[in-house]
Amino acid sequence: MFDFTATYTDQYQLAMSQVYFKNGKGNTKAVFDYYFRKIPYGSGFAIFAGLEDLLEIITNLRFSKEDIQFLKQYDFEDDFLEYLENFKFSGNIYSVQEGDVVFPTRPVLQVEANLIEAQIIETILLNLLNFQTLIATKASRMRLVSRERTLLDFGLRRAQGPGGYYAMIGGFNGTSNVIAGRDLDIPVSGTMAHSFVQSYDDELTAFREFARGRPKACVLLVDTYDTLKSGVPNAITVAKEMEEQGQKLMAIRLDSGDLAYLGKRARQLLDAAGLEYVKIAASNQLDEFVIKSLQEQDAPIDIYGVGTNLVIGKPDAALDGVYKLTFSDGKPRIKISESLIKTTLPHRKQVYRMKDKNGECAGVDVIVMENENDTELSKVFHPSEPYKFLDVSAYQKEALLQPVMENGIMKIKKRTLSEIAAYSKSRLAELPLEYKRFNNPHIYKVSISEKLKAERDRLISEHKM
């Protein structure tokens, strides 16, 4: 699905890299953390997505001859461009598994590489992980409120990129995106456009021709002229004609108006005609709020086709994921802010998920220094309110950051989106209900160890002297 060269980056990444190269710092080992500061949509969790595609991209990331020629006009020096001609990421990446539930301020992914390599991959890392995590999280919210209903991604035409097929990780059942179906083994679904009906002199003829040409998985769009006076009655006529041919109409689709009212009336008309098996699909500016309302009204909608609001991540539109230096040249590094919550956490780190004596999620993730022994972990602190602490000595501890790339080689087996989605579903099921509430979810705790807190505070004092 992706075919990028290494110029898929911001200019300042290359400017900094040339300075590192000229000053002999290019091979300096560094560690960067990827994390986000706020959960989108007022949700209690986010779903991490995009990792496996990112690793595949990084594995093959190179500067082409065209890239090198292009960069010559922007004052990059010949010896640096010669270095870029042989560029290949050779570092290590540690990450949570794609599909896992993740929370703010704690590392989701950690890059360990020389400064140049780490800088050059930053832009594509943020671009891909931020967007796909946003979409997967949005999709998961829709899955929670729609319960067992079918969810389809219809958003390709309005997506800011290849489309929202990462909604599959969040629990969607299929997509209209044909190339995603081809490349990623996702079920592909579609109906018809209003233009198809309009291209015929009458609606009934349009329906008959479509059913004749596409008898399998046939879905008729019934709102071009009048949903209840024309569209549904004509669909019933065609459904009966299909029955005579040993075929079955799969569904009708509503794309405008009061979807709850029209759905109920359409269901009555279909059932009265003995067409209880014909499903009702709905589209038109759907999101988790509209779906929740339809569910609460007992609207007989079987299939939700979700477009724009899914693939643009409305209303948040972006995940505020960041990529921060935490260690380089053998020393911990820190970025200090007036707000403690925006002050970065130094050092290589690990993240533990706390589980109670029954192995159930305790609602706490703890960030620790890499060399801390989990058996010694006891008192942990709120990252920005240091007087708040928690005793976690009795909890079981699951290490979340695992090696996914070593020396530039992908170390995990690539999974299908369906496999990632199944894993995500299982991890979300572990999360207690209070964190999955639609409104005002309980806030998941992210804490730091006593040792990490001490190191952060030491560096703050050192740099403010």
Side-chain angles (χ1 to χ4, degrees):
M1 293 297 293
F2 298 97
D3 184 19
F4 298 128
T5 68
T7 48
Y8 195 94
T9 192
D10 290 293
Q11 193 271 354
Y12 82 158
Q13 310 285 16
L14 297 176
M16 290 186 290
S17 294
Q18 177 165 282
V19 175
Y20 289 144
F21 177 81
K22 300 296 288 186
N23 292 341
K25 290 188 64 174
N27 289 321
T28 298
K29 295 300 180 183
V31 177
F32 284 79
D33 285 348
Y34 166 72
Y35 59 95
F36 60 95
R37 294 192 176 108
K38 180 182 176 183
I39 300 176
Y41 316 122
S43 181
F45 62 90
I47 301 292
F48 179 49
L51 172 67
E52 295 191 13
D53 273 337
L54 174 68
L55 297 177
E56 198 164 29
I57 290 168
I58 290 174
T59 298
N60 299 298
L61 202 62
R62 304 288 188 278
F63 288 90
S64 68
K65 291 181 179 180
E66 291 78 10
D67 292 335
I68 300 301
Q69 285 298 120
F70 172 77
L71 292 174
K72 285 182 178 179
Q73 64 185 297
Y74 286 95
D75 301 320
F76 290 105
E77 298 183 17
D78 289 343
D79 54 351
F80 177 62
L81 292 177
E82 185 177 345
Y83 168 84
L84 294 184
E85 286 179 347
N86 299 303
F87 173 85
K88 181 183 185 302
F89 183 81
S90 60
N92 305 322
I93 298 178
Y94 305 87
S95 178
V96 304
Q97 286 194 57
E98 184 165 8
D100 205 352
V101 288
V102 290
F103 304 94
T105 70
R106 42 139 289 192
V108 176
L109 178 146
Q110 191 169 258
V111 172
E112 182 182 73
N114 70 48
L115 277 168
I116 294 178
E117 291 178 9
Q119 293 288 180
I120 286 175
I121 70 167
E122 175 184 356
T123 297
I124 196 161
L125 182 153
L126 288 172
N127 179 255
L128 186 61
L129 298 185
N130 283 344
F131 180 66
Q132 303 302 1
T133 298
L134 186 78
I135 300 307
T137 304
K138 183 80 169 175
S140 183
R141 284 171 58 78
M142 294 185 204
R143 171 48 65 204
L144 286 174
V145 297
S146 65
R147 297 189 287 276
E148 76 283 359
R149 302 296 198 276
T150 297
L151 293 172
L152 301 176
D153 156 38
F154 281 1
L156 178 59
R157 290 171 296 167
R158 292 180 180 172
Q160 294 103 324
Y165 51 84
Y166 279 83
M168 306 307 117
I169 294 175
F172 268 49
N173 303 100
T175 181
S176 66
N177 186 336
V178 179
I179 195 169
R182 184 199 72 182
D183 292 350
L184 302 171
D185 195 27
I186 302 170
V188 176
S189 297
T191 62
M192 59 165 61
H194 293 108
S195 60
F196 183 85
V197 178
Q198 293 171 272
S199 71
Y200 289 84
D201 291 337
D202 65 272
E203 185 178 58
L204 182 58
T205 300
F207 286 179
R208 281 174 171 155
E209 290 296 314
F210 193 81
R212 186 176 296 115
R214 297 284 296 177
K216 294 181 179 179
C218 180
V219 181
L220 301 177
L221 179 60
V222 296
D223 74 328
T224 303
Y225 302 119
D226 189 302
T227 300
L228 298 179
K229 292 181 180 179
S230 169
V232 176
N234 283 332
I236 289 172
T237 297
V238 171
K240 288 297 184 180
E241 292 173 354
M242 292 179 72
E243 286 184 339
E244 293 173 0
Q245 301 296 319
Q247 302 164 347
K248 285 187 175 181
L249 177 65
M250 178 181 172
I252 62 170
R253 176 161 72 99
L254 307 171
D255 191 48
S256 60
D258 186 329
L259 297 177
Y261 169 75
L262 292 173
K264 290 176 181 179
R265 291 288 293 120
R267 185 75 271 161
Q268 291 170 352
L269 293 171
L270 290 166
D271 291 353
L275 298 170
E276 294 88 354
Y277 62 84
V278 175
K279 296 180 179 181
I280 298 176
S283 50
N284 187 33
Q285 299 301 313
L286 298 182
D287 60 15
E288 64 267 44
F289 296 95
V290 176
I291 293 173
K292 184 174 185 291
S293 175
L294 290 169
Q295 294 287 107
E296 290 172 347
Q297 296 174 72
D298 293 322
I301 309 297
D302 304 291
I303 303 165
Y304 293 108
V306 189
T308 304
N309 292 331
L310 168 68
V311 297
I312 68 169
K314 187 178 180 181
D316 285 10
L319 183 74
D320 62 345
V322 295
Y323 186 79
K324 297 296 184 181
L325 179 69
T326 65
F327 195 88
S328 72
D329 199 17
K331 300 176 183 178
R333 307 291 175 170
I334 192 169
K335 190 272 178 188
I336 298 173
S337 172
E338 291 182 5
S339 169
L340 192 56
I341 195 66
K342 286 193 173 183
T343 296
T344 62
L345 295 171
H347 281 282
R348 295 182 180 90
K349 294 179 286 294
Q350 178 57 272
V351 179
Y352 289 111
R353 181 152 295 166
M354 300 294 108
K355 297 190 174 184
D356 64 21
K357 61 183 180 181
N358 298 316
E360 296 180 353
C361 178
V364 185
D365 283 2
V366 179
I367 312 166
V368 305
M369 292 173 59
E370 179 190 43
N371 58 0
E372 286 193 65
N373 190 323
D374 65 331
T375 60
E376 300 173 355
L377 193 61
S378 55
K379 186 185 289 187
V380 299
F381 293 82
H382 190 289
S384 59
E385 299 179 46
Y387 297 107
K388 290 184 178 180
F389 63 88
L390 179 69
D391 185 353
V392 298
S393 56
Y395 289 137
Q396 301 176 42
K397 300 160 182 76
E398 177 191 2
L400 299 180
L401 296 180
Q402 301 296 331
V404 295
M405 177 171 277
E406 292 182 358
N407 301 319
I409 299 172
M410 190 168 169
K411 300 301 291 184
I412 56 174
K413 180 182 177 183
K414 192 166 176 63
R415 299 171 293 170
T416 66
L417 279 180
S418 296
E419 290 170 334
I420 298 170
Y423 171 75
S424 185
K425 182 179 180 180
S426 71
R427 292 295 273 182
L428 189 57
E430 295 176 7
L431 193 65
L433 288 174
E434 57 265 29
Y435 302 101
K436 295 183 280 193
R437 284 198 300 255
F438 190 79
N439 295 311
N440 301 312
H442 201 63
I443 297 174
Y444 193 97
K445 294 180 177 65
V446 174
S447 302
I448 59 177
S449 70
E450 194 165 11
K451 286 184 178 180
L452 182 57
K453 177 181 177 299
E455 269 294 279
R456 181 196 64 183
D457 294 348
R458 179 185 69 80
L459 288 170
I460 290 174
S461 296
E462 182 179 294
H463 285 283
K464 285 192 172 183
M465 289 178 63

